[in-house]
């Protein structure tokens, strides 16, 4: 990570382990994916921007609580309701994005397509197109 940062690059770390994300934040990561309302403190004392997700999956209320907690602590953040693959609730996930926009119109929102393209039983390039 140090070499990438020395080149002026932004670094993000994606992991399900909040201890790993905490180490990444302390090492200078610009973004960590994916924190929730229970793990937000993993980046305490760093300038790292967390990508906030619902926990459990699909629970928009938990994502809103995470957003509110980050705002209360003055932590810049990006919200990710999580885009699901077509066979795993794609339409419901799009509805979560729309509902989040209605409830938090000023929120920075990530629309990651990785789950959609990697977990849909189709050619990833074709799905992306």
């Amino acid at each position: 990570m140090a070499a990438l940062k020395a080149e002026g690059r932004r670094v993000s770390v994606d992991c399900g382990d909040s201890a790993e994300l905490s180490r990444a934040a302390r090492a200078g990561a610009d973004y960590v994916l994916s924190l929730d309302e229970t793990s937000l403190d993993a980046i305490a004392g760093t300038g790292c921007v967390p990508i906030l997700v619902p926990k459990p999956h699909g629970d928009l209320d938990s994502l809103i609580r995470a957003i509110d907690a980050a705002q209360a602590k003055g932590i810049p953040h990006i919200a990710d309701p999580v885009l699901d693959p077509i066979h795993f609730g794609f339409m419901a996930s799009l509805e979560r994005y729309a509902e989040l926009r209605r409830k938090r119109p000023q929120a920075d929102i990530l629309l990651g397509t990785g789950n959609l393209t990697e977990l849909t039983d189709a050619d990833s390039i074709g799905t992306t197109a």
Side-chain angles (χ1 to χ4, degrees), residues 18-19 26 30-31 37 51 109 119 122:
S18 61
R26 288 192 315 272
D30 298 288
Y31 305 94
E37 65 181 317
I51 308 303
I109 299 176
L119 300 175

Side-chain angles (χ1 to χ4, degrees), residues 6-31:
E7 290 181 8
R9 303 207 187 260
R10 291 187 177 184
V11 176
S12 65
V13 176
D14 186 357
C15 181
D17 182 338
S18 61
E20 285 291 323
L21 294 177
S22 180
R23 282 190 285 281
R26 288 192 315 272
D30 298 288
Y31 305 94

Side-chain angles (χ1 to χ4, degrees), residues 24-40:
R26 288 192 315 272
D30 298 288
Y31 305 94
V32 293
L33 300 87
S34 302
L35 295 180
D36 58 60
E37 65 181 317
T38 67
S39 57
L40 187 56

Side-chain angles (χ1 to χ4, degrees), residues 69-81:
Q71 287 177 333
K73 294 177 181 188
I75 300 171
H77 56 279
I78 300 172
D80 182 1

Side-chain angles (χ1 to χ4, degrees), residues 32-103:
V32 293
L33 300 87
S34 302
L35 295 180
D36 58 60
E37 65 181 317
T38 67
S39 57
L40 187 56
D41 289 336
I43 58 147
T46 72
C48 187
V49 175
I51 308 303
L52 303 174
V53 296
K55 184 178 180 181
H57 179 80
D59 183 359
L60 187 59
D61 290 337
S62 72
L63 178 56
I64 289 172
R65 288 190 302 269
I67 292 167
D68 292 346
Q71 287 177 333
K73 294 177 181 188
I75 300 171
H77 56 279
I78 300 172
D80 182 1
V82 183
L83 187 63
D84 290 325
I86 292 169
H87 64 287
F88 190 73
F90 175 69
M91 195 64 217
S93 68
L94 287 178
E95 290 168 350
R96 282 194 305 273
Y97 279 88
E99 184 65 15
L100 177 59
R101 180 56 71 211
R102 281 190 289 278
K103 290 184 174 189

